[in-house]
Each structure stands twice: as structure tokens, then as C-alpha cells.
Amino acid sequence: MKRPLYVAGAGAVTPAGLSARQTIAAIRASLSAFEEVPLAKPFGAPQVVARVPAHRRLHRSDGEWLVNMAARAINEALGTVDPAVAVATVLLVTPPESFRNHPAFEEIPARDFLAAIIERTGRKFHPASRAIDGGAAASLGLIEQALNLMEEQGVAQVLLGGVDSLVNDADLARLGQAGRLRGANAQGLVPGEAAVFVRLMRGPGREPMVAAIHGVGLSQETDTVLSERYSQGRAMLGALRYAVNGSGPSEPDIDFVISNGNGERYQGLEMLITRPRFYRTRRELMATAYPAMTVGDIGAASGALTLMLAADSFRDDYAPGAVAMCEVTSESGLRAAAVMVGASRV
């Protein structure tokens, strides 16, 4: 990255809380939002999931539910601002990955999804706003684009994040058929749902900045969890190396990691291979946070969640060090990494 990009705020709707503060408090307290529900197929079979508590009128359909979650998180992240600032704000959203044929898009076509979210927020945003396929890692991959938008198109700020739900009949059936669900598979994932957005700015203004992103790396893994081969970690290793390939912090400076790891054997083995090849400096302990232990696998929303949690740890001074590495994977194979530093240490 040419220069750091600052995290100024965040908004979230997750199974652990209906705001960023509630979600972060639950993660810090090591609470679990897991519950057991009966499946439609096979009928009545129990399955552990992480659902957002909400009135049924907000969840009349899968599409409406994603739009409602996203709008709430976006409005929280944006806060109370002058309408002119909102119009100069770009919204970059990662929805559920296209290969999943998410049932939300049966009601709201993917091409209309962003417009539906913007309409639900009741605000107007910059015309450069986009919805980008690619899942959780795509959120981090858009950070450099966010910086370019602010420098070249006069954008005031960028809201970056995602919305997703794996708690639907289609995804549950797909994951169950592949033997990837927690239950029959002790190392399976817990399907979750959430919307998480972070507010990015170029530098300190009238409001305090929370944390700075100094470097981002992005790479595509060919041996995905959807293939018949285990990953050798080449893409994640490339993303990590690229993230520190600049004037910011380097590998020896990294004090802790925030990962969107979901507990699956596939991802555990991938990181078992990757981390010793990247983190070569001797450490007594590499502190690592796994938010999925509280909120489950929240798909496309989990990339922004790692940024939000890292920024909060710097703001409230409970980070185990000065530099964090966010490690994010997408189900379709995209890998991303981002180096973050507390704003007070920049």
C-alpha cells in the first residue's frame, strides 16, 4: 500500500450481538452463540448453528433478511453524519459467493442486491459503490481499491464489509452432504450469519482514528475446500508475504493474529503448513483469536469482522502487542492478509 488506511468505526449484526460493541464484548468474554435446531432435511435431525435473534417480520425471506442485516450494520458504521458526507461515501459489499446459489438471490437478483441494501438504509451513497463476489477474503482485497477511490475520486470515506448467512436450507444441505457440518463431523463448521462493516478513512480528522492498515496481500488457492486435495498453503503464504512487502511492519513485528478459521480440518491443516513457513521469528506464543468460536462461520462477513476486532483491541488496549495480522480465507479459494497497527503507535 502507498500509505496507511485508517479504521474509524464499525457496525455489526451477529449471533453474538446486534451491534459492534455487543459482538465484541461477547467475543472477548468467550461466549458462544451456538444453538441446536432441527433440520428440514433430513427432517428433525439436530444441527448446531449460530443465528441472529430477530423478529420473524425481519426474516420473511432469505433475501430480505440479508438486506435487513446489512442495512442495520451499515447505518451503525456510518453513524450520525451530514447527508453530504454519506453521498461522498463509497459502499463496498461482499455478498454470499456466487457459486453457492444462495436462496437470497432467488428473490433479489444479485445485480439488484446492492441497490436493495442502499434503499433499506434510507441514505444515498457515492455512485462508485459496488457489490463484489469473492467472499470474506474479497473484503480485505478491496482495501487498496478503497484507498485509490479516496485519493483519485475525492471519496470522503469507504464502508467496507459483507453480509451472509449459512443458516438456510440450501447451504445446510450442501455442507451436510459434504460432511462438513459440526455434529457427525467433530471437526466440522458451525453455520452462522452476520453483517459486518468497517469505516475506512485516509487519515486523522476531527474524529479519532482507531487503527491503521499498513499492508494487504491477496492470492487464489487452487486446492480449495471444494476440491479433492488438501491445500498446501501456497496462496495464504503468498498473501502473508505480500502484506508485509512494503515500508510498514515486517514479519518479526507481528505480535498476534486474528483469523476467520472455522474449525474445519481442511483449514487447520492449511495453516499448520503455512504458518511455520511465514512466521520464522522465534516466539514464545503467537496469540490467535478465532471469532468463529463465538459467532460460527459467517461467510462473506468474516473478513470485516477480523478488521473490526483488531481495531477494537487497539482502541481499548487489550491487544497483546502493537501489530496484528488478519488472516482470511474464502470458501472458493481466495486468500487475504492485512497488517494492522494501533493508531496511537503509527
Side-chain angles (χ1 to χ4, degrees), residues 9-94:
V13 176
T14 74
L18 301 181
S19 68
R21 298 307 303 160
Q22 290 177 3
T23 296
I24 289 169
I27 292 172
R28 289 187 64 185
S30 299
L31 301 181
S32 170
F34 299 171
E35 61 177 314
E36 194 173 86
V37 300
L39 292 177
K41 294 181 180 180
F43 182 74
Q47 175 58 50
V48 177
V49 302
R51 297 187 298 184
V52 174
H55 194 279
R56 61 180 179 274
R57 65 180 174 82
L58 299 174
H59 199 165
R60 293 191 179 98
S61 68
D62 292 298
E64 185 178 21
W65 178 230
L66 293 190
V67 168
N68 284 331
M69 283 198 296
R72 182 183 177 107
I74 288 167
N75 281 330
E76 182 191 358
L78 191 56
T80 304
V81 298
D82 187 281
V85 176
V87 171
T89 299
V90 166
L91 185 59
L92 297 178
V93 181
T94 51

Side-chain angles (χ1 to χ4, degrees), residues 121-151:
T121 65
R123 303 174 186 262
K124 293 183 178 180
F125 291 92
H126 193 281
S129 299
R130 294 289 184 272
I132 294 92
D133 192 17
S139 290
L140 270 63
L142 292 170
I143 290 173
E144 289 199 69
Q145 181 179 337
L147 179 59
N148 292 336
L149 286 169
M150 284 184 263
E151 291 188 335

Side-chain angles (χ1 to χ4, degrees), residues 16 23 27 31 34 257-261 288-298 302 305-306 309:
T23 296
I27 292 172
L31 301 181
F34 299 171
V257 170
I258 299 181
S259 167
N260 77 331
T288 305
Y290 294 98
M293 295 175 67
T294 292
V295 299
D297 187 333
I298 57 174
S302 60
L305 179 61
T306 66
L309 185 57

